Coordinates of all heavy atoms in Angstrom, one line a residue:
M1 N 82.8 79.7 116.9 CA 82.6 78.5 117.7 C 81.1 78.1 117.5 O 80.9 77.0 117.3 CB 82.8 78.9 119.2 CG 83.2 77.8 120.1 SD 84.6 76.9 119.4 CE 84.5 75.5 120.6
K2 N 80.2 79.1 117.6 CA 78.8 78.8 117.5 C 78.5 78.2 116.1 O 77.8 77.3 115.9 CB 78.0 80.1 117.7 CG 76.5 79.8 117.8 CD 75.8 80.9 118.6 CE 74.4 80.5 118.9 NZ 73.5 81.5 119.1
F3 N 79.2 78.8 115.1 CA 79.0 78.4 113.7 C 79.4 76.9 113.6 O 78.8 76.1 112.9 CB 79.8 79.3 112.8 CG 79.8 78.8 111.4 CD1 78.7 78.9 110.6 CD2 81.0 78.2 110.8 CE1 78.7 78.4 109.3 CE2 80.9 77.8 109.5 CZ 79.8 77.9 108.7
K4 N 80.6 76.6 114.2 CA 81.1 75.2 114.1 C 80.1 74.2 114.7 O 79.9 73.1 114.1 CB 82.4 75.1 114.8 CG 83.6 75.3 114.0 CD 84.8 74.9 114.8 CE 86.1 75.2 113.9 NZ 87.3 75.1 114.8
Y5 N 79.5 74.6 115.8 CA 78.5 73.8 116.5 C 77.3 73.5 115.6 O 76.8 72.4 115.4 CB 78.1 74.4 117.8 CG 77.2 73.6 118.7 CD1 77.7 72.4 119.2 CD2 75.9 73.9 118.9 CE1 76.9 71.6 120.0 CE2 75.1 73.1 119.7 CZ 75.6 72.0 120.2 OH 74.8 71.2 121.0
T6 N 76.8 74.6 114.9 CA 75.6 74.5 114.0 C 75.9 73.5 112.9 O 75.1 72.7 112.5 CB 75.2 75.9 113.5 OG1 75.2 76.8 114.6 CG2 73.9 75.8 112.8
L7 N 77.2 73.7 112.4 CA 77.6 72.9 111.3 C 77.6 71.4 111.6 O 77.1 70.5 110.9 CB 79.0 73.3 110.8 CG 79.4 72.9 109.4 CD1 78.7 73.7 108.5 CD2 80.9 73.1 109.3
L8 N 78.1 71.1 112.9 CA 78.1 69.8 113.4 C 76.8 69.2 113.5 O 76.5 68.0 113.0 CB 78.8 69.7 114.8 CG 79.2 68.3 115.2 CD1 80.3 67.8 114.5 CD2 79.5 68.3 116.7
I9 N 75.8 70.0 114.0 CA 74.4 69.5 114.1 C 73.9 69.2 112.7 O 73.2 68.2 112.5 CB 73.5 70.6 114.9 CG1 74.1 70.8 116.3 CG2 72.1 70.2 114.8 CD1 73.7 69.8 117.3
A10 N 74.1 70.1 111.8 CA 73.6 70.0 110.4 C 74.1 68.7 109.8 O 73.4 67.9 109.2 CB 74.0 71.2 109.6
L11 N 75.4 68.4 110.1 CA 76.0 67.2 109.5 C 75.4 66.0 110.1 O 75.2 65.0 109.4 CB 77.5 67.3 109.9 CG 78.4 66.7 108.8 CD1 78.7 67.8 107.8 CD2 79.7 66.2 109.4
V12 N 75.1 66.0 111.4 CA 74.5 64.8 112.1 C 73.2 64.6 111.5 O 72.8 63.4 111.2 CB 74.5 65.1 113.6 CG1 73.6 64.0 114.2 CG2 75.8 65.0 114.2
I13 N 72.4 65.6 111.3 CA 71.0 65.5 110.8 C 71.1 65.0 109.4 O 70.4 64.0 109.0 CB 70.2 66.9 110.8 CG1 70.0 67.2 112.3 CG2 68.9 66.8 110.0 CD1 69.5 68.5 112.6
A14 N 72.0 65.5 108.6 CA 72.1 65.1 107.2 C 72.4 63.6 107.1 O 71.9 62.8 106.3 CB 73.2 65.9 106.5
T15 N 73.4 63.2 107.9 CA 73.8 61.8 108.0 C 72.5 60.9 108.3 O 72.3 59.9 107.7 CB 74.9 61.6 109.0 OG1 75.9 62.5 108.8 CG2 75.4 60.2 108.9
M16 N 71.8 61.4 109.4 CA 70.6 60.6 109.8 C 69.6 60.5 108.6 O 69.0 59.4 108.3 CB 70.0 61.3 111.0 CG 70.6 60.8 112.3 SD 70.3 61.9 113.7 CE 68.6 61.9 113.8
V17 N 69.4 61.6 107.9 CA 68.4 61.6 106.8 C 69.0 60.6 105.7 O 68.2 59.8 105.1 CB 68.3 63.0 106.2 CG1 67.5 63.0 104.9 CG2 67.5 63.8 107.2
L18 N 70.2 60.7 105.4 CA 70.8 59.9 104.3 C 70.7 58.4 104.7 O 70.2 57.6 103.9 CB 72.3 60.3 104.1 CG 72.5 61.5 103.2 CD1 74.0 61.8 103.1 CD2 71.9 61.3 101.8
V19 N 71.0 58.1 105.9 CA 71.0 56.7 106.3 C 69.6 56.2 106.4 O 69.2 55.1 105.9 CB 71.7 56.5 107.7 CG1 71.4 55.1 108.3 CG2 73.2 56.8 107.6
G20 N 68.7 57.1 106.9 CA 67.2 56.7 106.9 C 66.7 56.4 105.5 O 66.1 55.5 105.3
C21 N 67.1 57.3 104.5 CA 66.6 57.1 103.2 C 67.1 55.7 102.6 O 66.4 55.0 102.0 CB 67.1 58.2 102.3 SG 66.1 59.7 102.4
G22 N 68.3 55.5 102.9 CA 68.9 54.3 102.4 C 68.2 53.0 102.9 O 67.9 52.1 102.1
S23 N 67.9 53.0 104.2 CA 67.3 51.8 104.7 C 65.8 51.6 104.2 O 65.2 50.5 104.3 CB 67.4 51.8 106.2 OG 66.6 52.8 106.7
S24 N 65.1 52.7 103.8 CA 63.8 52.6 103.4 C 63.6 52.2 102.0 O 62.5 51.8 101.6 CB 63.1 54.0 103.7 OG 63.5 54.9 102.7
E25 N 64.7 52.1 101.3 CA 64.6 51.7 99.8 C 64.4 50.2 99.8 O 64.9 49.4 100.7 CB 65.9 52.1 99.1 CG 65.8 53.4 98.5 CD 67.2 53.9 97.9 OE1 68.1 53.0 97.7 OE2 67.4 55.1 97.8
P26 N 63.7 49.7 98.8 CA 63.6 48.2 98.8 C 64.9 47.6 98.6 O 65.8 48.0 97.8 CB 62.7 48.0 97.5 CG 62.7 49.3 96.7 CD 63.0 50.3 97.7
A27 N 65.2 46.5 99.3 CA 66.5 45.8 99.2 C 66.7 45.2 97.9 O 65.8 44.7 97.2 CB 66.4 44.7 100.2
A28 N 67.9 45.4 97.4 CA 68.3 44.8 96.0 C 68.2 43.3 96.1 O 68.5 42.7 97.1 CB 69.6 45.2 95.7
P29 N 67.7 42.6 95.1 CA 67.7 41.1 95.2 C 69.0 40.6 95.3 O 70.0 41.0 94.7 CB 67.1 40.7 93.8 CG 67.2 41.9 92.9 CD 67.3 43.2 93.8
T30 N 69.1 39.6 96.3 CA 70.4 39.0 96.5 C 70.9 38.1 95.3 O 70.0 37.3 94.8 CB 70.3 38.0 97.7 OG1 69.3 38.5 98.5 CG2 71.6 37.9 98.5
P31 N 72.0 38.3 94.8 CA 72.4 37.5 93.6 C 72.6 36.1 94.0 O 72.9 35.7 95.1 CB 73.8 38.1 93.2 CG 74.2 38.9 94.3 CD 73.1 39.3 95.1
H32 N 72.3 35.2 93.1 CA 72.4 33.7 93.3 C 73.9 33.4 93.6 O 74.8 33.9 92.8 CB 72.0 33.0 92.1 CG 71.8 31.5 92.3 ND1 72.9 30.6 92.4 CD2 70.7 30.8 92.3 CE1 72.4 29.4 92.5 NE2 71.1 29.4 92.5
P33 N 74.2 32.6 94.6 CA 75.6 32.3 94.9 C 76.4 31.7 93.7 O 77.6 31.7 93.6 CB 75.6 31.3 96.0 CG 74.2 30.8 96.0 CD 73.3 31.9 95.5
G34 N 75.7 31.0 92.8 CA 76.3 30.4 91.6 C 76.8 31.5 90.6 O 77.7 31.1 89.8
Q35 N 76.2 32.6 90.7 CA 76.5 33.6 89.6 C 78.0 34.0 89.7 O 78.7 34.0 88.6 CB 75.7 34.9 89.8 CG 75.9 35.9 88.7 CD 75.0 37.1 88.8 OE1 74.1 37.1 89.7 NE2 75.2 38.1 88.0
A36 N 78.5 34.4 90.9 CA 79.9 34.7 91.0 C 80.8 33.6 90.7 O 81.9 33.8 90.1 CB 80.2 35.2 92.4
L37 N 80.4 32.4 91.0 CA 81.2 31.2 90.7 C 81.3 31.0 89.2 O 82.4 30.7 88.7 CB 80.6 29.9 91.3 CG 80.7 29.7 92.8 CD1 79.8 28.7 93.3 CD2 82.1 29.4 93.1
V38 N 80.3 31.2 88.5 CA 80.3 31.1 87.0 C 81.3 32.1 86.5 O 82.1 31.8 85.6 CB 78.9 31.2 86.4 CG1 79.0 31.4 84.9 CG2 78.0 30.0 86.7
E39 N 81.1 33.3 87.0 CA 82.0 34.4 86.4 C 83.5 34.1 86.7 O 84.3 34.4 85.8 CB 81.6 35.7 87.1 CG 80.3 36.3 86.4 CD 79.6 37.3 87.2 OE1 80.1 37.8 88.2 OE2 78.4 37.7 86.9
T40 N 83.8 33.5 87.8 CA 85.2 33.3 88.1 C 85.7 31.9 87.5 O 86.7 31.9 86.9 CB 85.5 33.4 89.6 OG1 84.6 32.5 90.2 CG2 85.3 34.7 90.1
K41 N 84.9 30.9 87.7 CA 85.3 29.5 87.4 C 85.2 29.2 85.9 O 85.9 28.4 85.4 CB 84.5 28.5 88.1 CG 84.7 28.6 89.7 CD 85.7 27.6 90.1 CE 85.9 27.8 91.6 NZ 87.1 27.1 92.1
C42 N 84.2 29.8 85.2 CA 83.9 29.4 83.8 C 84.6 30.3 82.8 O 84.1 30.3 81.6 CB 82.4 29.3 83.7 SG 81.7 28.4 85.0
S43 N 85.4 31.2 83.2 CA 86.0 32.2 82.2 C 87.5 32.0 82.1 O 88.2 32.9 81.5 CB 85.6 33.6 82.6 OG 86.1 33.9 83.9
T44 N 88.0 30.9 82.6 CA 89.5 30.7 82.6 C 89.9 30.0 81.3 O 90.9 30.4 80.6 CB 90.0 29.9 83.8 OG1 89.1 28.8 83.9 CG2 89.9 30.7 85.0
C45 N 89.2 28.9 80.9 CA 89.7 28.1 79.7 C 89.0 28.8 78.4 O 89.7 28.8 77.4 CB 89.2 26.7 79.8 SG 89.9 25.8 81.2
H46 N 87.8 29.3 78.5 CA 87.2 29.9 77.4 C 86.5 31.2 78.0 O 86.4 31.4 79.1 CB 86.2 29.0 76.7 CG 85.3 28.3 77.7 ND1 84.3 28.9 78.5 CD2 85.2 26.9 78.0 CE1 83.7 27.9 79.2 NE2 84.3 26.8 78.9
S47 N 86.0 31.9 77.0 CA 85.3 33.2 77.4 C 84.0 32.9 78.1 O 83.4 31.8 77.8 CB 85.1 34.0 76.2 OG 84.0 34.9 76.3
I48 N 83.6 33.8 78.9 CA 82.3 33.7 79.6 C 81.2 33.8 78.5 O 80.0 33.2 78.8 CB 82.2 34.8 80.7 CG1 81.0 34.4 81.7 CG2 81.9 36.2 80.1 CD1 81.3 33.4 82.7
V49 N 81.5 34.3 77.4 CA 80.5 34.4 76.3 C 80.0 33.0 75.9 O 78.8 32.8 75.6 CB 81.2 35.1 75.0 CG1 80.2 35.1 73.9 CG2 81.5 36.5 75.4
Q50 N 80.9 32.1 75.9 CA 80.6 30.6 75.6 C 79.5 30.2 76.6 O 78.6 29.4 76.1 CB 81.9 29.8 75.9 CG 81.7 28.3 75.6 CD 82.6 27.9 74.4 OE1 82.8 28.7 73.5 NE2 83.0 26.7 74.4
V51 N 79.6 30.6 77.8 CA 78.6 30.1 78.8 C 77.3 30.9 78.7 O 76.2 30.4 78.7 CB 79.2 30.4 80.2 CG1 78.2 29.9 81.3 CG2 80.5 29.6 80.4
N52 N 77.5 32.2 78.3 CA 76.2 33.1 78.2 C 75.5 32.8 76.9 O 74.3 33.0 76.8 CB 76.6 34.5 78.3 CG 77.1 34.9 79.7 OD1 76.7 34.2 80.7 ND2 77.8 36.0 79.8
N53 N 76.1 32.2 75.9 CA 75.5 31.9 74.6 C 74.7 30.6 74.7 O 73.7 30.4 74.0 CB 76.5 31.8 73.5 CG 76.9 33.2 73.0 OD1 76.3 34.2 73.3 ND2 78.0 33.2 72.2
A54 N 75.1 29.8 75.7 CA 74.4 28.5 75.8 C 73.1 28.7 76.6 O 73.0 29.5 77.5 CB 75.3 27.5 76.6
K55 N 72.0 28.0 76.2 CA 70.8 28.0 76.9 C 70.3 26.5 77.0 O 69.8 25.9 76.1 CB 69.8 28.9 76.1 CG 68.6 29.3 76.9 CD 67.9 30.4 76.2 CE 66.6 30.8 76.9 NZ 66.7 31.4 78.2
Y56 N 70.5 26.0 78.2 CA 70.3 24.6 78.4 C 69.3 24.3 79.5 O 69.1 25.1 80.3 CB 71.6 23.9 78.7 CG 72.6 23.8 77.6 CD1 74.0 23.8 77.9 CD2 72.3 23.8 76.3 CE1 75.0 23.7 77.0 CE2 73.2 23.8 75.3 CZ 74.6 23.8 75.6 OH 75.5 23.7 74.7
S57 N 68.8 23.1 79.5 CA 68.0 22.6 80.6 C 68.9 22.3 81.7 O 70.1 22.2 81.6 CB 67.2 21.4 80.2 OG 68.0 20.4 79.9
R58 N 68.3 22.0 82.9 CA 69.1 21.6 84.1 C 69.9 20.3 83.8 O 71.1 20.2 84.2 CB 68.1 21.4 85.3 CG 68.8 21.0 86.6 CD 67.8 21.0 87.7 NE 67.3 22.3 88.1 CZ 67.9 23.2 89.0 NH1 68.9 22.7 89.6 NH2 67.4 24.3 89.2
E59 N 69.3 19.4 83.1 CA 70.0 18.1 82.8 C 71.2 18.3 82.0 O 72.3 17.8 82.2 CB 69.0 17.1 82.1 CG 67.9 16.6 82.9 CD 66.9 17.5 83.4 OE1 66.6 18.5 82.6 OE2 66.3 17.4 84.4
I60 N 71.0 19.1 80.9 CA 72.1 19.4 80.0 C 73.2 20.2 80.8 O 74.4 19.9 80.6 CB 71.7 20.1 78.7 CG1 70.6 19.4 78.0 CG2 72.9 20.3 77.8 CD1 70.9 18.1 77.3
W61 N 72.9 21.1 81.6 CA 73.9 21.9 82.4 C 74.7 20.9 83.3 O 75.9 21.1 83.4 CB 73.3 23.0 83.2 CG 73.2 24.3 82.4 CD1 72.1 25.0 82.1 CD2 74.3 24.9 81.7 NE1 72.4 26.1 81.3 CE2 73.7 26.1 81.1 CE3 75.7 24.6 81.6 CZ2 74.5 27.0 80.3 CZ3 76.4 25.5 80.8 CH2 75.9 26.7 80.1
D62 N 73.9 20.0 83.9 CA 74.6 19.0 84.7 C 75.7 18.2 83.9 O 76.8 18.1 84.4 CB 73.5 18.0 85.3 CG 74.0 17.2 86.4 OD1 73.9 17.7 87.6 OD2 74.6 16.1 86.2
T63 N 75.2 17.8 82.8 CA 76.2 17.0 81.9 C 77.4 17.9 81.5 O 78.5 17.5 81.5 CB 75.4 16.5 80.7 OG1 74.2 15.9 81.0 CG2 76.3 15.6 79.8
T64 N 77.0 19.2 81.1 CA 78.0 20.1 80.6 C 79.0 20.4 81.6 O 80.2 20.4 81.4 CB 77.4 21.4 80.1 OG1 76.4 21.1 79.1 CG2 78.4 22.3 79.4
V65 N 78.6 20.7 82.9 CA 79.5 21.1 83.9 C 80.4 19.9 84.3 O 81.6 20.1 84.6 CB 78.8 21.7 85.2 CG1 79.7 21.9 86.3 CG2 78.1 23.0 84.9
N66 N 79.8 18.7 84.2 CA 80.6 17.5 84.5 C 81.7 17.3 83.4 O 82.8 16.9 83.7 CB 79.8 16.3 84.6 CG 79.1 16.1 86.0 OD1 79.7 16.4 87.0 ND2 77.8 15.8 86.0
K67 N 81.3 17.7 82.2 CA 82.3 17.7 81.1 C 83.5 18.6 81.3 O 84.6 18.4 81.1 CB 81.6 18.1 79.7 CG 81.6 17.0 78.7 CD 80.6 17.3 77.6 CE 80.9 18.5 76.8 NZ 79.9 18.8 75.7
M68 N 83.1 19.8 81.9 CA 84.2 20.8 82.2 C 85.1 20.3 83.3 O 86.2 20.6 83.3 CB 83.5 22.2 82.6 CG 82.6 22.8 81.6 SD 83.4 22.9 80.0 CE 82.2 22.3 78.9
V69 N 84.5 19.6 84.3 CA 85.3 18.9 85.3 C 86.3 17.9 84.7 O 87.5 18.0 85.1 CB 84.4 18.3 86.4 CG1 85.2 17.5 87.4 CG2 83.5 19.3 87.1
M70 N 85.8 17.2 83.7 CA 86.7 16.3 83.0 C 87.8 17.0 82.3 O 88.9 16.6 82.2 CB 85.9 15.5 81.9 CG 84.7 14.7 82.5 SD 85.3 13.3 83.4 CE 84.6 12.0 82.4
A71 N 87.5 18.2 81.8 CA 88.5 19.1 81.1 C 89.4 19.7 82.0 O 90.5 20.2 81.6 CB 87.7 20.1 80.3
G72 N 89.1 19.7 83.4 CA 90.1 20.2 84.3 C 89.5 21.3 85.2 O 90.3 21.9 86.0
L73 N 88.3 21.5 85.2 CA 87.6 22.6 86.1 C 87.8 22.1 87.5 O 87.4 21.0 87.8 CB 86.2 22.7 85.7 CG 85.3 23.4 86.7 CD1 85.7 24.9 86.8 CD2 83.8 23.4 86.3
Q74 N 88.4 23.0 88.3 CA 88.5 22.8 89.7 C 87.3 23.3 90.5 O 87.1 24.5 90.5 CB 89.8 23.4 90.3 CG 91.0 23.0 89.6 CD 91.6 21.8 90.1 OE1 91.7 21.6 91.4 NE2 92.0 20.9 89.3
I75 N 86.5 22.4 91.1 CA 85.2 22.9 91.7 C 84.8 21.9 92.7 O 85.0 20.7 92.5 CB 84.2 23.2 90.6 CG1 83.0 24.0 91.2 CG2 83.6 21.9 90.1 CD1 82.1 24.6 90.0
T76 N 84.3 22.3 93.9 CA 83.8 21.4 94.9 C 82.4 20.9 94.5 O 81.8 21.6 93.7 CB 83.7 22.0 96.3 OG1 82.7 23.1 96.3 CG2 85.0 22.6 96.7
D77 N 81.9 19.9 95.1 CA 80.6 19.4 94.8 C 79.5 20.4 95.1 O 78.6 20.6 94.4 CB 80.3 18.1 95.5 CG 81.0 16.8 94.9 OD1 81.6 17.0 93.8 OD2 81.0 15.8 95.5
E78 N 79.7 21.2 96.2 CA 78.7 22.1 96.6 C 78.7 23.3 95.6 O 77.7 23.8 95.2 CB 79.2 22.7 98.0 CG 78.0 23.4 98.7 CD 78.5 24.2 99.9 OE1 79.6 23.9 100.4 OE2 77.8 25.1 100.3
Q79 N 79.9 23.7 95.1 CA 80.0 24.8 94.2 C 79.4 24.4 92.9 O 78.7 25.1 92.2 CB 81.4 25.2 93.9 CG 82.1 25.9 95.1 CD 83.6 26.2 94.9 OE1 84.3 25.4 94.3 NE2 84.0 27.3 95.5
K80 N 79.6 23.1 92.5 CA 79.1 22.6 91.3 C 77.5 22.6 91.3 O 76.9 23.0 90.3 CB 79.5 21.1 91.1 CG 79.4 20.6 89.6 CD 80.1 19.3 89.4 CE 79.3 18.1 89.9 NZ 80.0 16.9 89.6
A81 N 77.0 22.2 92.4 CA 75.5 22.2 92.5 C 75.0 23.7 92.4 O 73.9 23.9 91.8 CB 75.1 21.7 93.9
Q82 N 75.7 24.7 93.0 CA 75.3 26.1 92.9 C 75.4 26.6 91.5 O 74.5 27.3 91.0 CB 76.1 27.0 93.8 CG 75.8 26.7 95.3 CD 76.7 27.6 96.2 OE1 77.8 28.0 95.9 NE2 76.2 27.9 97.4
V83 N 76.5 26.2 90.8 CA 76.6 26.6 89.4 C 75.5 26.0 88.5 O 74.9 26.8 87.7 CB 78.0 26.2 88.8 CG1 78.1 26.2 87.4 CG2 79.1 27.0 89.5
I84 N 75.2 24.8 88.7 CA 74.2 24.1 87.8 C 72.8 24.8 88.2 O 72.0 25.1 87.3 CB 74.2 22.7 88.1 CG1 75.5 22.0 87.5 CG2 73.0 22.0 87.4 CD1 75.7 20.6 88.0
D85 N 72.6 25.0 89.4 CA 71.3 25.6 89.8 C 71.2 27.0 89.2 O 70.1 27.3 88.7 CB 71.2 25.7 91.4 CG 69.8 26.0 91.9 OD1 68.9 25.3 91.5 OD2 69.7 27.0 92.5
Y86 N 72.2 27.8 89.3 CA 72.2 29.2 88.8 C 71.9 29.2 87.3 O 71.0 29.9 86.8 CB 73.5 29.9 89.1 CG 73.7 31.2 88.3 CD1 72.8 32.3 88.4 CD2 74.7 31.2 87.2 CE1 73.0 33.4 87.6 CE2 74.8 32.3 86.5 CZ 74.0 33.4 86.7 OH 74.1 34.5 85.9
L87 N 72.6 28.3 86.6 CA 72.5 28.3 85.1 C 71.1 27.7 84.7 O 70.5 28.2 83.8 CB 73.6 27.4 84.5 CG 75.0 28.0 84.6 CD1 76.1 27.0 84.2 CD2 75.1 29.2 83.7
A88 N 70.7 26.7 85.4 CA 69.4 26.2 85.1 C 68.3 27.2 85.3 O 67.3 27.3 84.5 CB 69.1 24.9 86.0
I89 N 68.3 28.0 86.4 CA 67.3 29.0 86.7 C 67.4 30.1 85.7 O 66.4 30.5 85.1 CB 67.4 29.6 88.1 CG1 67.1 28.5 89.2 CG2 66.6 30.8 88.3 CD1 67.5 28.9 90.6
R90 N 68.7 30.5 85.3 CA 68.9 31.6 84.3 C 68.2 31.2 83.0 O 67.5 32.0 82.4 CB 70.4 31.7 84.2 CG 70.7 32.9 83.2 CD 72.2 32.8 82.7 NE 72.4 31.7 81.8 CZ 73.6 31.5 81.1 NH1 74.6 32.3 81.4 NH2 73.7 30.5 80.2
D91 N 68.4 29.9 82.6 CA 67.9 29.5 81.3 C 66.5 29.1 81.2 O 65.9 28.9 80.2 CB 68.8 28.4 80.7 CG 70.2 28.9 80.4 OD1 70.4 30.1 80.5 OD2 71.0 28.1 80.0
S92 N 65.9 29.0 82.4 CA 64.5 28.7 82.4 C 63.6 29.9 82.4 O 62.4 29.9 82.3 CB 64.1 27.8 83.6 OG 64.2 28.7 84.8
E93 N 64.3 31.1 82.5 CA 63.5 32.4 82.5 C 63.3 32.9 81.1 O 64.1 32.6 80.2 CB 64.2 33.4 83.3 CG 63.9 33.2 84.8 CD 64.8 33.9 85.8 OE1 65.7 34.6 85.3 OE2 64.6 33.8 87.0
Ligands
HEC1 C1 89.5 23.4 82.5 C2 89.0 24.2 81.4 C3 87.5 24.6 81.4 C4 86.9 25.3 82.4 C5 87.4 25.7 83.7 C6 85.5 25.4 81.9 N1 85.4 24.9 80.6 FE1 83.7 25.0 79.4 N2 84.8 24.1 77.9 C7 86.1 23.7 78.0 C8 86.5 23.1 76.7 C9 87.9 22.5 76.4 C10 85.4 23.2 75.9 C11 85.3 22.8 74.4 C12 85.1 21.3 74.3 C13 83.7 20.9 74.2 O1 82.8 21.5 73.7 O2 83.4 19.8 74.9 C14 84.3 23.9 76.7 C15 83.1 24.2 76.1 C16 82.0 24.7 76.9 C17 80.7 25.0 76.4 C18 80.2 24.8 74.9 C19 80.1 23.3 74.6 C20 78.9 22.7 75.2 O3 79.0 21.5 75.7 O4 77.9 23.3 75.3 C21 80.0 25.4 77.4 C22 78.5 25.8 77.4 C23 80.9 25.5 78.6 N3 82.1 25.1 78.2 C24 80.5 25.8 79.8 C25 81.3 26.0 80.9 C26 80.9 26.3 82.3 C27 79.5 26.6 82.7 C28 82.0 26.3 83.0 C29 82.1 26.6 84.6 C30 81.3 25.8 85.4 C31 83.1 26.0 82.2 N4 82.7 25.7 80.9 C32 84.4 25.9 82.7 C33 87.0 23.8 79.1 C34 86.6 24.4 80.3

């Protein structure tokens, strides 16, 4: 009985330490909302490699994504803006 109690206390302390460590680590950078959209929306007609091989300015990405819409890409205006923003930032680095 006593042993079980000690084990429980140890477990509680271990959990507190683990949780404490986790929160003290620097937060991982939040991924751009456009990233997941590109991964899901831009890999249906062609490979994502096609997108990753391209390195364009914001203007060209705007034109290119509009071309994809003409080709049949289903995307809302808000999602389109996020996709263009993500790709433009990615290629400006
Ligand atoms: C409905 C189908 C479809 C979807 C979805 C699609 N594409 Fe395309 N994409 C095409 C076709 C067809 C071509 C080849 C014709 C061309 O080059 O104009 C192409 C070619 C490309 C090219 C190479 C040609 C160029 O103009 O640079 C890039 C880059 C590209 N797509 C990016 C994207 C991105 C980014 C997305 C997601 C936002 C996307 N595509 C989603 C159909 C699609």
Side-chain angles (χ1 to χ4, degrees):
M1 206 55 189
K2 194 160 189 204
F3 173 71
K4 264 190 185 166
Y5 185 68
T6 313
L7 200 72
L8 190 75
I9 297 285
L11 215 84
V12 168
I13 291 171
T15 310
M16 274 159 62
V17 168
L18 282 175
V19 171
C21 281
S23 65
S24 70
E25 271 171 23
T30 333
H32 192 288
Q35 186 177 351
L37 283 169
V38 166
E39 280 159 13
T40 52
K41 298 259 178 202
C42 309
S43 58
T44 49
C45 299
H46 45 67
S47 152
I48 195 76
V49 174
Q50 182 114 330
V51 180
N52 290 338
N53 281 344
K55 198 165 171 68
Y56 294 152
S57 66
R58 184 173 290 270
E59 288 71 30
I60 307 287
W61 272 124
D62 196 88
T63 312
T64 304
V65 174
N66 280 321
K67 242 166 62 180
M68 299 309 132
V69 173
M70 302 289 243
L73 165 68
Q74 302 275 316
I75 199 165
T76 66
D77 283 351
E78 197 192 343
Q79 291 174 327
K80 196 167 83 177
Q82 287 179 335
V83 162
I84 293 167
D85 192 58
Y86 164 68
L87 291 167
I89 292 170
R90 181 195 75 174
D91 290 357
S92 71
E93 277 164 2

